[in-house]
Amino acid sequence: MFPALETEIKPETLSDPYEDFMHHHLQYYGYFKAQKGNLSSSAPHQCVWKTSPRYTLNGSYGERDDLISDTLEKESFLWPTCLPSTGHAQIDAVGKDPLMLSSPLLRSRQLLYDELDEVNPRLREPRELFSFFSSRGPLQAPKWPIECEVIKENIHHIEWVPPEPEYFYQPTGDEKEPEIVGEEQGTVVYQLDSVPTEGAYFTSSRIGGKRGIIKELAVTLQGPEDNTLLFESRFESGNLQKAVRVGAYEYELTLRTDLYTDKHTQWFYFRVQNTRKEVTYRFTIVNLLKPKSLYAVGMKPLMYSQLDATTYNVGWRREGREIKYYKNSADDGQQPLFCLTWTVQFPHDQDTCFFAHFYPYTYTDLQCYLLSIANNPIQSQFCKPRALCRSLAGNTVYLLTITNPSRTPQEAAAKKAVVLSARVHPGESNGSWIMRGFLDFILSNSPDAQLLRDIFVFKVIPMLNPDGVIVGNYRCSLAGRDLNRHYKTVLKDSFPCIWYTKNMIKRLLEEREVLLYCDFHGHSRKNNIFLYGCNSNSRKHWLHERVFPLMLSKNAPDKFSFDSCNFKVQKCKEGTGRVVMWRMGVINSYTIESTFGGSTLGSKRDTHFTVEDLKSLGYHVCDTILDFCDPDQTKYTQCLQELKELLQQEIHKKFSNFGQDVDLEASWSDIPLSDIESSTSGSDSSLSDGLPAHLLNIANELNQKMLLKKTKKKRLQTRKQRNEQYQKNYLMRELKLAEDTPTQLSGRNKGTSLEPPLTSLVLPKNKETVQTQLSGRNKGTSLEPPQTSLVLPKNKETVQTQLSGRNKGISLEPPLTSLVLPKNKETVQSKKPGFTASCSPKRSTNSGLGPAPDVKANWPRTRYPAPRKERSAVAAVYPSLHIYTYP
């Protein structure tokens, strides 16, 4: 294709139009580094990456060339062994041709070069779909909905572990329940005015949120003696909507619901300034939604002092006295609300302090951690961050692939997979701390970590719902829905994080076996750490799904409670991650729940969990995976036998409560496990299930239109159709009257009487003809009862009315009627010897055909509706022999 490459390349060799086009085309897509007119000297060697800052890890690894370590180079060399002989011949040809090696025109960015600028027969890893971090800054700035105001300050907290255990608060029974007075009797000192209104939905986002000048929402201090607290929550993961001062040192707080919903007030995280030490402050949150809470059994809120952090290196700690969780007495006719009140003393004057429901872990914290991995030359060898997708607001959802390079293709294909995820519920930050502990261990140089990387491929999604984390939601995404109820969704645009996660696992299952799926969550009503699983329907794997949690409880006996685990699959949880992955074929599919409180087990009894406690669970997960997959099945067999004994005891206990005896030595294993377990105490999925918020209005409009379409009767469009409908109704009425109540008509001639007609209705299968035959009329004779035969023809071709002849001086007998429903609904004709009457909107003016003066037509007022399918043209014959049509 390029004959100029066979000789020394010169600028004039590209004079051919086709060659010139291909040169520019391939250069545009990055295959050629040389410029036209200076091909021999314009391309520098690619080995400069070791000294050039552009190719070093400077926090911008989204736009740099990938660095290939010696370990990865060994794995990359595997692919030529799988090539056919022609592929080897082409590689050898490239290696032997000095022009092919030295020509800057062939400098492909996809090929790797060594320090001597010799080409190696291997390709780079593909570029990322999305760059993680911009070259203009160290991190990708979070994107906010355009309704949200965001302050410019960067909030950062240090990590710190309390030297002493933080025990639960012990209620005394004398805790005060402050009466809620509201802003009518108090003073609003802080209130968000940028919260989306009811019925709103997410439309767009931008870095920094709402445009324009950021207002100062806190009150203005009147002087140095003014001790009013200054509140703020317009920062990442912050949540506080309103603060009302109801006393000198007493404040009522209102939390913001999840954006674009009216539910889920649980997570709080806000800042206070202008504090006074040695003064008792009282804070009361007035709009919590859950009737039960760990605050009722001793859990304390978290407080962070900025001065303590900078001076004494002290971070988050549990604080609070007189803690009370109670029902709000104010009844507004809506769902019942609950209150949390506590008192606290600040350690310093003029301090900046923070309060939170649990240890915050923001989207920026995750990005800083991923950047540290990328800047680590060892960890970056076996941990590859990728962009799984973009969230609704455009924030990157990260996917980490962690594994050691394999020596052979067979070894790489034999690896099983482990999938871990966290923060599908943004307010459950304890899931991120467990994930952090897992990543710290699996990326370490521990022999156990190296062994795990050798035998497994770990797929890790550390933050499934970055949008909710950024805006401070507790449970939902910006779609206004709980993502952990939509793993069966097909709405990729509304739930991209879940849709791409499910499809990633689906593709992974096609490649290799997925041994374990774990989704890290938090729990607000139970202490300890436990998990939810799925009972196996296979007798071959009976109780096998309980082995992993039992092993985990043995490895972390002071944190993990096996008794709190539940394996019942409820119908309302069909859309959760663990159930969907279980139905896709992952037997060991779990939701690991970590309490917001602490432990009631072993050495940590009645103490709060710290960050280190949660991170240690991540290590225990790794340790349990090794035990679970140990080639020596002794531990596995012992756990399985112990599970059978525990199940026997549970069955015996259940039957004893009902006063029944059961033979556990017989067929006890046939008892369904779902009948033994109670339902889980998880959150009500109906609160946040359904369509995303932006589709609700459209769905309601469609439902109303469909309802109107079903109930609205179809209108007749033309006058002809109205005439046909009326004639048909009249015919049906006459036939019904003739069948049920035959009438006697008086004779029309003196000395003669009219006998009641005998009407016979016959509906033949073929509906061919409808005929009415009448007996002849002779002068001076009585009228015999006629027989009427009605047949509905299938083809509905003609409608004819035949009448017998009338002779002067003879009596009039009932007419002979033949009825046919035409298919094309054409003209209905009435035939008589010597006279033809056509169906017309006008009445006939023939006086000879008028009604007899002493015979009165029967006109019932009741109309009989005709079936919809029989709306066709009909001809009605009345005693006057006129053919009537009505509008």
Side-chain angles (χ1 to χ4, degrees):
M1 179 181 294
F2 297 98
L5 296 179
E6 299 177 359
T7 60
E8 185 179 356
I9 299 176
K10 298 180 180 180
E12 57 270 11
T13 58
L14 294 177
S15 58
D16 182 75
Y18 178 75
E19 299 290 343
D20 189 53
F21 165 76
M22 291 302 298
H23 165 74
H24 288 290
H25 175 74
L26 297 179
Q27 186 182 42
Y28 176 81
Y29 285 100
Y31 288 97
F32 294 159
K33 292 194 170 202
Q35 299 292 332
K36 181 179 179 181
N38 189 21
L39 297 177
S40 59
S41 60
S42 62
H45 294 303
Q46 288 196 8
C47 61
V48 299
W49 63 265
K50 286 197 170 184
T51 57
S52 174
R54 179 174 179 266
Y55 297 99
T56 58
L57 284 171
N58 59 353
S60 178
Y61 67 93
E63 298 181 6
R64 67 175 176 84
D65 288 347
D66 293 328
L67 303 182
I68 306 300
S69 63
D70 294 338
T71 307
L72 290 181
E73 286 179 4
K74 295 178 182 179
E75 185 183 33
S76 301
F77 271 113
L78 291 176
W79 76 270
T81 62
C82 304
L83 291 176
S85 58
T86 55
H88 288 287
Q90 293 175 0
I91 294 172
D92 295 338
V94 172
K96 294 178 181 178
D97 191 344
L99 179 62
M100 303 289 281
L101 290 174
S102 59
S103 172
L105 190 61
L106 274 182
R107 287 290 190 182
S108 171
R109 293 183 180 180
Q110 297 300 312
L111 291 177
L112 294 176
Y113 296 83
D114 58 16
E115 296 182 5
L116 300 178
D117 200 28
E118 293 182 358
V119 67
N120 289 323
R122 53 197 175 90
L123 297 177
R124 298 181 182 276
E125 294 185 6
R127 291 188 175 188
E128 309 301 340
L129 182 60
F130 304 110
S131 61
F132 293 123
F133 308 111
S134 172
S135 60
R136 292 168 293 182
L139 298 174
Q140 173 187 337
K143 293 184 179 180
W144 296 69
I146 57 174
E147 300 95 338
C148 297
E149 291 184 347
V150 185
I151 62 175
K152 302 302 181 183
E153 301 177 48
N154 293 324
I155 307 299
H156 174 70
H157 306 297
I158 64 172
E159 291 185 27
W160 175 74
V161 180
E164 299 294 333
E166 296 178 311
Y167 287 93
F168 293 157
Y169 172 74
Q170 300 298 325
T172 62
D174 299 329
E175 287 79 14
K176 180 182 177 182
E177 294 184 3
E179 183 180 356
I180 309 304
V181 298
E183 55 186 276
E184 291 79 8
Q185 302 180 27
T187 303
V188 178
V189 296
Y190 177 81
Q191 184 170 8
L192 291 179
D193 56 0
S194 59
V195 178
T197 59
E198 183 179 357
Y201 53 86
F202 172 77
T203 55
S204 60
S205 63
R206 65 183 296 270
I207 295 175
K210 191 175 182 179
R211 297 180 182 272
I213 301 175
I214 303 300
K215 301 178 182 178
E216 185 63 41
L217 299 184
V219 295
T220 303
L221 298 178
Q222 302 302 319
E225 300 300 326
D226 191 347
N227 58 4
T228 303
L229 290 180
L230 305 179
F231 291 83
E232 185 58 79
S233 65
R234 295 171 296 173
F235 47 83
E236 193 173 353
S237 296
N239 190 315
L240 178 68
Q241 181 172 341
K242 183 170 64 174
V244 180
R245 188 180 187 184
V246 295
Y249 302 102
E250 189 171 350
Y251 296 85
E252 291 179 0
L253 310 177
T254 301
L255 304 184
R256 176 185 53 77
T257 60
D258 284 5
L259 286 185
Y260 314 113
T261 75
D262 58 354
K263 312 176 185 69
H264 310 301
T265 52
Q266 181 74 25
W267 170 260
F268 61 88
Y269 177 31
F270 58 89
R271 184 184 72 186
V272 293
Q273 293 176 311
N274 194 36
T275 62
R276 299 291 188 270
K277 70 175 182 179
E278 298 179 355
V279 175
T280 300
Y281 288 83
R282 177 177 289 276
F283 299 97
T284 304
I285 300 176
V286 301
N287 66 329
L288 297 172
L289 293 176
K290 292 189 176 183
K292 296 181 180 180
S293 174
L294 289 171
Y295 289 110
V297 292
M299 176 177 160
K300 296 180 180 180
L302 281 163
M303 190 187 77
Y304 184 93
S305 169
Q306 197 73 49
L307 286 178
D308 280 347
T310 56
T311 305
Y312 306 107
N313 200 33
V314 175
W316 289 98
R317 59 181 184 263
R318 299 283 179 171
E319 290 289 348
R321 304 185 63 84
E322 300 182 47
I323 302 172
K324 183 73 174 180
Y325 193 87
Y326 61 99
K327 186 176 181 180
N328 192 334
S329 59
D331 187 7
D332 57 354
Q334 303 294 329
Q335 53 186 338
L337 301 178
F338 297 86
C339 300
L340 168 66
T341 185
W342 76 93
T343 61
V344 69
Q345 289 186 352
F346 294 110
H348 306 284
D349 285 331
Q350 302 297 328
D351 193 6
T352 297
C353 295
F354 295 83
F355 288 95
H357 179 59
F358 200 73
Y359 300 98
Y361 192 94
T362 65
Y363 183 65
T364 301
D365 293 335
L366 173 65
Q367 289 186 305
C368 290
Y369 185 74
L370 296 181
L371 181 60
S372 68
I373 295 175
N375 288 328
N376 189 311
I378 298 177
Q379 294 179 348
S380 59
Q381 295 178 12
F382 45 76
C383 179
K384 297 297 180 183
R386 298 288 183 267
L388 176 67
C389 64
R390 297 283 192 181
S391 64
L392 282 180
N395 296 297
T396 303
V397 180
Y398 296 102
L399 170 65
L400 311 181
T401 302
I402 304 171
T403 188
N404 282 339
S406 303
R407 298 179 180 86
T408 62
Q410 293 76 15
E411 181 181 340
K415 288 184 177 181
K416 296 182 180 181
V418 174
V419 180
L420 303 175
S421 62
R423 295 302 286 278
V424 68
H425 294 153
E428 298 171 359
S429 59
N430 31 13
S432 283
W433 290 109
I434 299 176
M435 180 65 77
R436 172 75 172 275
F438 168 81
L439 291 175
D440 285 345
F441 179 78
I442 200 66
L443 298 177
S444 68
N445 57 359
S446 167
D448 287 346
Q450 294 180 14
L451 178 60
L452 284 170
R453 296 195 301 265
D454 285 338
I455 61 179
F456 290 108
V457 176
F458 292 91
K459 294 288 186 178
V460 180
I461 308 173
M463 192 170 287
L464 271 168
N465 190 355
D467 294 346
V469 173
I470 291 170
V471 302
N473 280 2
Y474 173 63
R475 197 168 185 86
C476 296
S477 69
L478 294 185
R481 290 293 177 264
D482 182 353
L483 294 183
N484 200 35
R485 298 295 184 269
H486 290 84
Y487 273 87
K488 299 169 68 175
T489 187
V490 296
L491 302 177
K492 179 175 66 173
D493 295 335
S494 299
F495 308 105
C497 312
I498 298 303
W499 192 90
Y500 281 99
T501 298
K502 178 184 175 182
N503 279 270
M504 180 271 295
I505 298 175
K506 185 178 180 180
R507 294 194 303 269
L508 189 63
L509 284 168
E510 295 174 355
E511 299 174 2
R512 64 187 76 245
E513 177 187 351
V514 177
L515 176 74
L516 180 71
Y517 168 85
C518 283
D519 190 19
F520 297 133
H521 285 250
H523 208 283
S524 63
R525 289 176 289 176
K526 294 172 66 175
N527 279 310
N528 305 312
I529 301 173
F530 52 95
L531 60 74
Y532 296 135
C534 303
N535 283 321
S536 177
N537 297 326
S538 172
R539 306 303 299 176
K540 177 182 178 181
H541 300 99
W542 188 65
L543 296 180
H544 286 206
E545 73 282 351
R546 305 184 183 215
V547 174
F548 182 84
L550 183 60
M551 287 183 173
L552 187 55
S553 68
K554 294 182 180 297
N555 291 331
D558 55 350
K559 305 180 186 70
F560 192 90
S561 172
F562 180 78
D563 293 337
S564 299
C565 297
N566 197 293
F567 301 88
K568 186 172 184 177
V569 179
Q570 298 173 265
K571 185 176 181 181
C572 62
K573 303 297 178 68
E574 286 289 337
T576 60
R578 67 174 173 97
V579 176
V580 172
M581 302 310 160
W582 173 64
R583 296 198 182 281
M584 288 171 58
V586 183
I587 298 177
N588 302 295
S589 180
Y590 305 110
T591 296
I592 295 184
E593 299 278 355
S594 172
T595 180
F596 288 109
S599 174
T600 61
L601 306 170
S603 61
K604 291 190 172 294
R605 184 179 181 87
D606 296 334
T607 61
H608 289 88
F609 280 150
T610 64
V611 168
E612 286 301 316
D613 290 328
L614 298 178
K615 291 167 70 174
S616 68
L617 185 73
Y619 156 74
H620 290 306
V621 169
C622 295
D623 191 27
T624 306
I625 293 176
L626 283 176
D627 293 337
F628 188 75
C629 299
D630 194 340
D632 183 4
Q633 292 289 296
T634 302
K635 292 182 180 179
Y636 193 97
T637 305
Q638 290 178 353
C639 289
L640 201 57
Q641 182 62 33
E642 185 177 345
L643 284 170
K644 293 179 181 179
E645 294 175 358
L646 290 174
L647 186 59
Q648 284 182 337
Q649 297 174 8
E650 186 68 21
I651 293 173
H652 181 75
K653 182 179 178 180
K654 289 285 185 181
F655 278 92
S656 298
N657 293 337
F658 291 102
Q660 299 178 2
D661 295 330
V662 60
D663 183 13
L664 297 181
E665 301 297 334
S667 58
W668 64 273
S669 60
D670 295 333
I671 301 176
L673 298 179
S674 58
D675 295 343
I676 303 173
E677 293 181 312
S678 59
S679 60
T680 64
S681 57
S683 301
D684 184 7
S685 61
S686 62
L687 292 177
S688 45
D689 199 359
L691 290 173
H694 70 283
L695 296 180
L696 285 179
N697 294 335
I698 300 176
N700 292 335
E701 293 177 1
L702 291 177
N703 290 335
Q704 292 177 0
K705 290 181 179 180
M706 293 298 296
L707 184 62
L708 291 175
K709 187 176 181 180
K710 291 181 179 179
T711 57
K712 187 176 179 181
K713 187 177 179 180
K714 184 177 179 180
R715 298 183 59 184
L716 298 176
Q717 299 297 324
T718 63
R719 182 171 181 175
K720 178 180 179 181
Q721 289 178 325
R722 293 196 298 270
N723 291 340
E724 293 172 351
Q725 184 66 34
Y726 180 86
Q727 294 171 1
K728 186 174 182 180
N729 291 344
Y730 179 83
L731 177 63
M732 297 296 295
R733 182 176 63 245
E734 289 294 304
L735 292 176
K736 185 173 180 63
L737 290 176
E739 286 181 343
D740 298 337
T741 56
T743 57
Q744 295 181 356
L745 301 178
S746 59
R748 296 186 179 180
N749 298 327
K750 184 177 179 180
T752 63
S753 62
L754 180 64
E755 296 292 337
L758 177 60
T759 303
S760 175
L761 177 63
V762 181
L763 299 177
K765 186 173 183 181
N766 53 10
K767 302 182 181 179
E768 294 178 353
T769 58
V770 178
Q771 296 180 347
T772 304
Q773 298 179 351
L774 303 177
S775 59
R777 303 179 181 180
N778 297 323
K779 181 179 178 181
T781 62
S782 62
L783 181 63
E784 296 293 335
Q787 293 185 351
T788 303
S789 175
L790 175 61
V791 181
L792 299 180
K794 186 173 184 180
N795 52 11
K796 304 181 181 179
E797 294 178 352
T798 58
V799 176
Q800 296 179 346
T801 305
Q802 298 179 352
L803 303 176
S804 59
R806 300 183 180 180
N807 298 325
K808 183 178 179 180
I810 60 175
S811 63
L812 178 64
E813 293 190 358
L816 175 64
T817 304
S818 176
L819 176 61
V820 180
L821 300 180
K823 184 175 183 180
N824 54 5
K825 302 183 179 180
E826 294 177 349
T827 306
V828 180
Q829 296 180 349
S830 178
K831 295 183 179 181
K832 177 185 174 184
F835 177 80
T836 301
S838 61
C839 183
S840 171
K842 299 181 181 180
R843 295 188 181 185
S844 174
T845 57
N846 189 350
S847 60
L849 297 177
D854 55 346
V855 177
K856 190 173 182 180
N858 186 15
W859 297 92
R861 298 181 180 272
T862 305
R863 292 189 178 185
Y864 294 86
R868 190 171 182 177
K869 296 181 179 179
E870 298 179 3
R871 292 181 181 177
S872 56
V874 290
V877 181
Y878 306 112
S880 62
L881 300 184
H882 284 283
I883 297 178
Y884 296 94
T885 59
Y886 292 89

